[in-house]
Amino acid sequence: MIKCTDVHKTYRTDTRSVEALRGVDLCVEGPGFYGIMGASGSGKSTLLHLLGALDKPDRGEVVIDGKSLSGLSERELTVFRQRHIGIVFQQFNLIPTLTALENVTLPGLLAGESEGMLRARAEELLDRLGVLKRASHRPDALSGGEQQRVAIARALLFEPPVLLADEPTGNLDSASSERLWTLLGELAASHEMTVLMVTHEPAAAAHCQKVFVLRDGRVTGHIATEGLDAAGVASQYQELIRAA
Amino acid sequence: MRPAWRLSIRNLSERRSRTALLVATVALSAALIAAVTCAMASAHKAIRRRIDATVGAADLRIAHVGKRPFDQQILHVAESWPEVALAVGRGQDAIPLRNPRTGQEVPTIGYGLMLDREFKLRPHSLREGRTIEREGEIALDPHSASQLEAQIGDRLEVVRFGTPVTLEVVGIVDQAAVGGIARAESFVTLEQLAEIQDVRGKLREVDIVLKPGADPQAVAEAHAAEMPRGLVLSPTAKITSGLDKNLQGSQIGMVIAATLSFLAAAFIIMTGLTTDMTERQRELAILRCIGGTRAQLAEAQVVAGGVVGILGAMVGVPLGVGGAWVLVSLLRDQLPAGFAVSWLGVALAVGGAVLSGIIGASWPAVRAMRTSPLEAMRVRARHPRPRGIVLCLVFGLLGAAIHIAIISLLRDRTLVFWGDIVVGVPSMFAGYFLLAVPATLAVVALVGPLIGRALRLPGNLLGRTVLATPYRHGFTAAAMMVGLALLIAIWTNGRSVLRDWLQSLTFPDAFVYGRSMSEQTQERIEQIPGVRGTVAITLQSLAPENVFGIPGLSRYQTTFIAFEPEPFFRMTTLKWEEGDPKTALEKLQRGGAVLVAKEFKLTRGMGVGDTIDLEYQGQNYQFEIVGVVNSPGLDIVNKFFDIGEEYLQQAVSAVFGSRRDLIEKFGNDAVNLIQIDIDPAADDEAVVKAARRIPGVITAGSGREIKGEITTFLGATLLIFSVVAVGAMLVACFGVANLIVAGIQQRQFEFGVLRAIGAQRETVARLVLGEAIIIAIVACLLGTIMGVQGSWAGQRQYQNLLGLDLTLKLPWGAIAAGWVILAAITLAAAWPAIWRLAQREPRELLGAMKG
């Protein structure tokens, strides 16, 4: 479960301050494939960073899998992130100097696990995601889609209850993107996992079972996407935005 | 402003901290060069002032070949010459002084002045009080004043037998020491000196000022025949020519040091700008897409390098000059002539700084020119190609091999010397820089996993990180290695000189030194209890034909050490490389024969039966070599006692002959040293102390004491040169800092991903620390190897130029200290960036990719 209560976050630079989140209330109750949709500058990535324990809110509370992140120290947050949250970014997910297999085992090595066991698990994940044959290749030898699959495999190493994806198909072609969205949906179902994807694309949101709409740092509503295609999602999104 | 310039300046100002690091690298190099050259110029100014104080405005000088006093009548002879405007005589002898107020006692070299003329020729610069005006007064130099704890108004006693003489201190004269070893000096009237020594009507030198238009050389030649035997009339320009040769030699050394220093800075700049350019590949690609030409991109890089160089010079040169000024101000006693700017040094510093920036930017400029828009727009990491690494290995080994070949295969010593300086050393330098790249790969392969485990880093992350950018890491390590190599070479050769040359000299028991000693002095010494025998020694500087040094650059003299052969052989332990004592003794007593020091054999292959030509005053004298021996160090002892004159003449090595030859051929019957043979049961110190009190003796010392003092002096010199080596490491540490900062900036998102997937702050910090450790290890290894190669070459040069036979023994203590210093500097340079990285939040690191 993911829950945000009145979450505020402001960024300050030398010349100005930007209030990225202005009281976000969000509740994702059970496993499934969910989306957060909003225009550029709406606060999507900021919200994802808070959910991923990469940052702390100025005000409000974030609860992941029953654990409030507010009371955790920086070290505890790191460990929590390692075990309970998988994160996939838009690009440059992988360490460029390591092979695909080494990238997948990396979180385990950081946690001090044995290399042998990690290797077996990593190979299993890569196989499941269809990129085992590329295990010994470095990221520069992989296509964009393959890189994202390897990133997902790494995120699944500890079988986290939550998988966060920040515009994972931003650099992919439409066919690869389709495949990736389908994969994320399948993972949510098969692993009983909460997959939360940040996107600005209606086509991506259409694969989610529910989409939260973010505007100007607040959740303005949600879209139940069952039976909707991309155009339908887009239309409902526009209505929510107009009404907000 | 041209677009390329605008681009360049914008890029530099956007990355202020990294630009500052590059500027600091160049600035520190420039500061070092400026500081050292200005300090050397100040030292030369002090020496030149000292020489001017000795020579003054004189055009000619009359002196005895053996520095003995001569009849005052010569002054009147000189005054009678039509070309002469002024002739000034001076006496010189030992004046041992005692200060009753403090109880301190000091032997001084006393100068007897003709008051009506002296100050016209040589105005005295005073630190305190006034010049002497009458008998009964004395002026001291700062060294003797300090040792006596004397003040103006003190009444000093002359330590002598006979009627006591008391002198009032009226002034302290500003007088520079020469070569860092000060000799206590004092000034009295000529008549007072005569009274003290009980010897009247004698002078040690007559200095002559000519009328305007008179040519000193022509006048000297015209009146040479009027000089009695043993007296020499020579232009004073010859006295200063030795100093000029010294200056020339040290300037060449400075140019070489500056070149190497700025080459290192150029490599650091190249690494920094290349890193910067790699980071900005997409930006460069966009520029190409929108119409930027290859030439403009290249020009932007070169301008960036030039700007870094200019800024470095603007900061570094004033810093260096200012630093030297502070140093000279603190060492006022040793450098009383004050601060002098070396304009050559400043020009070297400025020119070198700008050139290092431009040269350093040349490779990034080539890379920028080759930027393909399509290739650069792809988001991929590029891994170094094996071909580049192999080329670095091949050319690196070639560079090192060229240096070795020049030293070991060439025979002509002039070719070896210049070949080494112009081709060999730069080749070695460039070679080791290139070798640093494959060396980095090797170190990563061998110890990378160990270091990774020690730092608790996952898998092969550290090794892979370094392997992704081996050139960056390699060249940065290479910049660090230079200082260590310098340190090792300095200590290896310095210790070799001390061990193989100085320690091998078997000094006799004791010596006395004076300016007007005679057989009478000898007799008095022999009456001291514990003295078994004495030998009078005369030393004369001569020039052997083309034996030592480099033609056109330096011409080293050699010392003719003359003695009575039979007592000398009896009292002295000579080690015979060739020849035998019995035959040699017979031939020496007959005359026309010499023994040579083994350096002659080493440089020119001279041995028993060969003839050696010795030049003096334009005439050649031939001697048969009847033995090759290990020197008993008499020339060293003389240098030690008479450092001022020896500094000008630059005598190396010695030949040994009879006093009869010296008197007959050169007219020199002076006694400069008296060697003392002490009974083993007697107390050395007591004998030496008693010898110091004998009239005419300026100072005395045991062989052991003298060797000890020289060893201490050379040891201190080694330490001073070591500071230069550590300075080179400090320059390079800016390169390390720049590499670390650039690497962190380039991989910010990567570090963010690591933090996102569970790496703690200290894990990413340890990863970067591991890179710094790899750099330090490569620098230590290569620096040691280059230092050993440099030491070996240095020893071959010592052999070629000076005939010194040194053995290569590595100074493990200095090497260990160098490794520790290098590692500490490297880690200290990396630490601020590592600490800042550890403080950054994951979100901040991940945000680096936005825009």
Side-chain angles (χ1 to χ4, degrees), chain B residues 20-98:
Chain B
L21 285 168
L22 290 179
V23 169
T25 305
V26 179
L28 198 51
S29 291
L32 266 175
I33 299 298
V36 171
T37 51
C38 287
M40 282 170 63
S42 303
H44 278 283
K45 186 178 171 186
I47 293 166
R48 175 123 3 230
R49 188 165 118 169
R50 169 57 186 254
I51 289 163
D52 287 346
T54 312
V55 171
D59 298 303
L60 295 169
R61 171 172 282 186
I62 300 172
H64 190 271
V65 296
K67 301 173 197 170
R68 251 190 46 185
F70 52 87
D71 200 278
Q72 202 166 337
Q73 178 58 26
I74 293 299
L75 179 71
H76 305 303
V77 170
E79 279 178 321
S80 70
W81 297 337
E83 305 94 337
V84 170
L86 175 69
V88 181
R90 232 190 198 195
Q92 195 186 109
D93 215 320
I95 303 182
L97 295 169
R98 186 174 167 277

Side-chain angles (χ1 to χ4, degrees), chain B residues 94-390:
Chain B
I95 303 182
L97 295 169
R98 186 174 167 277
N99 188 348
R101 183 172 61 81
T102 62
Q104 298 297 327
E105 206 171 297
V106 170
T108 70
I109 298 173
Y111 293 94
L113 310 179
M114 298 177 79
L115 288 184
D116 57 331
R117 308 173 187 214
E118 170 73 22
F119 303 120
K120 287 180 193 171
L121 178 65
R122 285 175 283 252
H124 281 201
S125 169
L126 288 164
R127 201 174 276 195
E128 235 183 289
R130 59 172 175 82
T131 55
I132 56 171
E133 289 171 357
R134 58 186 72 84
E135 283 183 49
E137 293 181 347
I138 187 168
L140 302 172
D141 82 323
H143 186 64
S144 52
S146 159
Q147 287 197 304
L148 287 164
E149 295 174 22
Q151 299 164 2
I152 305 292
D154 278 352
R155 297 195 67 81
L156 306 178
E157 292 170 358
V158 178
V159 180
R160 67 197 289 263
F161 300 110
T163 316
V165 175
T166 308
L167 302 167
E168 183 191 351
V169 179
V170 298
I172 313 267
V173 178
D174 231 353
Q175 189 101 307
V178 173
I181 298 179
R183 293 281 168 229
E185 294 174 335
S186 56
F187 302 88
V188 295
T189 66
L190 189 61
E191 294 74 22
Q192 184 74 73
L193 185 68
E195 188 197 332
I196 290 168
Q197 294 302 328
D198 263 337
V199 174
R200 294 179 193 280
K202 295 287 186 188
L203 298 171
R204 189 178 173 263
E205 62 208 19
V206 171
D207 287 315
I208 298 165
V209 179
L210 298 176
K211 289 176 180 165
D215 175 42
Q217 184 64 37
V219 173
E221 283 167 11
H223 295 287
E226 294 175 52
M227 293 290 105
R229 188 158 172 74
L231 286 190
V232 176
L233 172 66
S234 53
T236 52
K238 281 195 177 164
I239 297 171
T240 58
S241 66
L243 174 66
D244 293 333
K245 281 278 185 279
N246 257 326
L247 184 58
Q248 199 180 6
S250 61
Q251 279 177 345
I252 287 181
M254 208 58 246
V255 169
I256 295 165
T259 305
L260 294 179
S261 169
F262 284 119
L263 265 178
F267 267 101
I268 293 170
I269 291 170
M270 181 182 73
T271 308
L273 290 179
T274 308
T275 307
D276 183 58
M277 200 208 67
T278 308
E279 210 177 309
R280 291 172 34 236
Q281 278 288 293
R282 295 192 76 191
E283 184 185 324
L284 293 174
I286 290 167
L287 285 170
R288 293 278 283 120
C289 289
I290 62 171
T293 64
R294 293 181 194 275
Q296 280 175 326
L297 296 191
E299 190 183 333
Q301 292 297 319
V302 173
V303 167
V307 168
V308 166
I310 290 168
L311 289 176
M314 282 169 61
V315 171
V317 171
L319 201 63
V321 171
W325 179 84
V326 168
L327 185 69
V328 169
S329 303
L330 290 173
L331 296 174
R332 194 173 173 267
D333 279 347
Q334 288 80 5
L335 301 170
F339 179 70
V341 174
S342 165
W343 293 111
L344 172 66
V346 168
L348 264 178
V350 171
V354 175
L355 268 178
S356 67
I358 292 173
I359 291 170
S362 57
W363 175 242
V366 168
R367 288 276 303 271
M369 272 178 68
R370 289 184 188 164
T371 300
S372 151
L374 294 178
E375 185 65 35
M377 290 298 276
R378 272 193 294 180
V379 179
R380 291 193 176 184
R382 282 165 90 182
H383 293 274
R385 289 186 291 179
R387 185 167 158 264
I389 311 288
V390 170

Side-chain angles (χ1 to χ4, degrees), chain A residues 11 49 54-55 74-75 78-79 81-82 89 91-93 95-98 102 106-107 109-110 138 140 154, chain B residues 379-381 383 458-459 461 464 468 749-750 753-763 842-843 846 849:
Chain A
Y11 294 112
H49 290 155
L54 295 168
D55 203 354
E74 204 272 332
R75 181 171 289 275
T78 304
V79 175
R81 193 161 61 235
Q82 192 177 64
F89 301 98
Q91 58 184 353
F92 306 119
N93 280 283
I95 307 299
T97 52
L98 301 178
E102 287 165 344
L106 193 54
L109 292 172
L110 287 167
R138 287 204 190 94
D140 62 339
R154 184 182 66 196
Chain B
V379 179
R380 291 193 176 184
H383 293 274
L461 189 60
R464 295 293 179 80
F749 194 84
E750 189 180 316
V753 168
L754 278 171
R755 296 279 277 123
I757 63 171
Q760 297 285 2
R761 291 182 196 279
E762 54 268 23
T763 307
R843 181 204 53 76
L846 291 166
M849 283 315 300

Side-chain angles (χ1 to χ4, degrees), chain A residues 43-66:
Chain A
K44 307 188 296 296
S45 292
T46 303
L47 179 59
L48 196 85
H49 290 155
L50 295 180
L51 296 177
L54 295 168
D55 203 354
K56 282 188 176 178
D58 297 329
R59 226 164 65 210
E61 196 185 29
V62 175
V63 176
I64 304 285
D65 203 27

